[in-house]
Amino acid sequence: MQPAVCHTFYNPRMNQLDILVPFGLPPPDLAKDFLRQCNAPSLAMLLTRGKVLQTESFNPFSRALPHESWLASKFLAKSPDTQNSPPVAHALMRNFGLQAESGTWFVLQPVHFHIARDHIVLTDPRQLALQDAEARLLFEAARPLFEETGKALVYGDATTWFVRADDWHDLHTATPDAACGHNIDIWLPKGDAELAWRKLQNEVQMHWHTHAVNAEREGRGSKPVNSLWLWGGATVSNGATTAPALYSDLFNLHGWSTAMSGSQIRNHGACHAIDTVLAQPKHGFVLLDDLLEAGLAADWGTWLQQLHMLDTEWFRLFVSALQGGRLQRVNLILTHNTALAEFCASRASLRKFWVKPSLHRLLP
């Protein structure tokens, strides 16, 4: 549904919005074909009449996607390790009212592994649509197995659990989104404790294989929950604190990205109207991740549809806000799985009427 547009008085305190769009860049091998089909005139105006601030390439086997690394670099006090997933466990626990005063904690997510012809693939966890009642039963079945090895297992919500494992502090893990859709061998935890983790993971898999929850899920045609994904490890001394506040207000953070907000920034959660964004002061940040699931699944037909919707529901209104003086500057951070590009458009730059709007800057 398109955001409601209301007449809000110009707020001179609102200077800038940073807008992160995961998978806002088309896949390089299909980019030219996509842009011929793409109808996004407002995005084209922002890109063409603005300027390129930076472009960056990423290793295709990185353990976090470019937008995840960008979030970590902006919001975590410690610079993220490019060979590891962002250390978000402690910050995310706080969002659930859980306190980790010491030790090394990891995020643990119930997932579905798909067995391909000669390898195992991690399915996008969002596709599970796991309900709280189901998750709690699976959690209780797994908890004794963790406790037997001296590991504390803690429930956050249906898709987000936590485990304390001080002796696993050296494990290098990958985010689920970095790994999903791929052969999991490359993205499995690596380090001295990797065999201990795999042994425990296998035990959980065996207990869940015949669990009533999975029997019921398969009976209704849903994917079974047949494994766990470990990532986000943080030790109190190296990953529990957030960076000094860069933004005054945050919008549309959800899932693990809510851990980025800390206590010193106003996090407005889901926001479907640009006037709500523009009513806030100073320097705001907006996450628009409508393209993420389609990008991860390589569902490019849906990706095009979602991009058209973003152009109508958001980019068009950003252009209008710049032209009307409600915004002074917009930074667009667009990514795909191996690249990031940042563009800046200002009120003044949009006056370049002689520059024809184009999406050519999305080409690799």
Side-chain angles (χ1 to χ4, degrees), residues 6 19-20 107 132 136 184 194 222 264 275 311 313 320:
C6 60
I19 303 154
L20 177 63
V107 183
D132 185 73
R136 288 187 180 275
I184 64 170
E194 62 181 89
S222 297
Q264 74 273 43
D275 285 277
D311 196 72
E313 298 180 0
S320 178

Side-chain angles (χ1 to χ4, degrees), residues 157 160 310:
D157 66 10
T160 312
L310 280 178

Side-chain angles (χ1 to χ4, degrees), residues 287-354:
L287 175 64
L288 299 178
D289 62 356
D290 305 64
L291 305 172
L292 179 58
E293 289 189 52
L296 289 173
D299 180 359
W300 302 120
T302 299
W303 184 91
L304 279 170
Q305 294 173 9
Q306 293 289 347
L307 184 61
H308 295 164
M309 290 176 61
L310 280 178
D311 196 72
T312 300
E313 298 180 0
W314 286 102
F315 300 139
R316 177 177 63 86
L317 302 179
F318 291 138
V319 168
S320 178
L322 284 168
Q323 292 172 329
R326 297 173 68 191
L327 272 175
Q328 298 302 313
R329 173 179 166 129
V330 162
N331 280 1
L332 279 174
I333 304 97
L334 309 179
T335 73
H336 58 58
N337 60 329
T338 60
L340 178 148
E342 184 172 358
F343 308 88
C344 170
S346 66
R347 187 182 183 190
S349 72
L350 291 191
R351 297 192 183 107
K352 298 177 183 177
F353 61 87
W354 59 90

Side-chain angles (χ1 to χ4, degrees), residues 174-301:
T175 68
D177 281 353
C180 81
H182 302 296
N183 182 341
I184 64 170
D185 285 348
I186 297 171
W187 282 273
L188 288 173
K190 304 296 182 184
D192 292 342
E194 62 181 89
L195 294 180
W197 159 244
R198 291 187 194 182
K199 180 176 184 295
L200 181 53
Q201 183 186 38
N202 288 338
E203 290 177 357
V204 172
Q205 289 172 330
M206 288 188 292
H207 276 71
W208 283 358
H209 181 66
T210 56
H211 197 283
V213 164
N214 279 325
E216 195 278 332
R217 287 179 63 88
E218 291 184 281
R220 65 173 189 262
S222 297
K223 292 180 174 65
V225 185
N226 58 14
S227 195
L228 289 162
W229 195 259
L230 186 81
W231 69 283
T235 301
V236 167
S237 61
N238 72 13
T241 59
T242 52
L246 176 63
Y247 298 102
S248 60
D249 296 86
L250 307 174
F251 301 91
N252 287 351
L253 298 191
H254 55 90
W256 76 263
S257 68
T258 59
M260 302 290 95
S261 63
S263 59
Q264 74 273 43
I265 317 174
R266 291 188 296 273
N267 182 6
H268 300 269
C271 176
H272 302 287
I274 193 171
D275 285 277
T276 305
V277 176
L278 296 178
Q280 307 304 322
K282 298 180 183 177
H283 190 179
F285 170 76
V286 183
L287 175 64
L288 299 178
D289 62 356
D290 305 64
L291 305 172
L292 179 58
E293 289 189 52
L296 289 173
D299 180 359
W300 302 120

Side-chain angles (χ1 to χ4, degrees), residues 65-103:
L65 290 173
H67 74 275
E68 295 174 320
S69 295
W70 187 93
L71 281 168
S73 71
K74 294 294 182 183
F75 290 101
L76 295 181
K78 180 181 173 65
S79 298
D81 179 357
T82 57
Q83 301 302 314
N84 209 344
S85 57
V88 299
H90 291 158
L92 191 53
M93 288 178 75
R94 285 198 298 270
N95 283 13
F96 289 102
L98 304 170
Q99 187 63 41
E101 296 180 355
S102 62

Side-chain angles (χ1 to χ4, degrees), residues 47-126:
L47 295 177
T48 311
R49 295 188 179 173
K51 61 182 179 180
V52 180
L53 294 184
Q54 68 159 324
T55 59
E56 185 177 356
S57 297
F58 289 74
N59 186 320
F61 301 114
S62 294
R63 291 183 162 252
L65 290 173
H67 74 275
E68 295 174 320
S69 295
W70 187 93
L71 281 168
S73 71
K74 294 294 182 183
F75 290 101
L76 295 181
K78 180 181 173 65
S79 298
D81 179 357
T82 57
Q83 301 302 314
N84 209 344
S85 57
V88 299
H90 291 158
L92 191 53
M93 288 178 75
R94 285 198 298 270
N95 283 13
F96 289 102
L98 304 170
Q99 187 63 41
E101 296 180 355
S102 62
T104 297
W105 290 80
F106 291 86
V107 183
L108 199 62
Q109 291 190 235
V111 296
H112 173 77
F113 284 167
H114 167 69
I115 301 175
R117 185 175 62 180
D118 57 358
H119 60 274
I120 298 174
V121 176
L122 173 64
T123 301
D124 186 345
R126 300 170 189 83

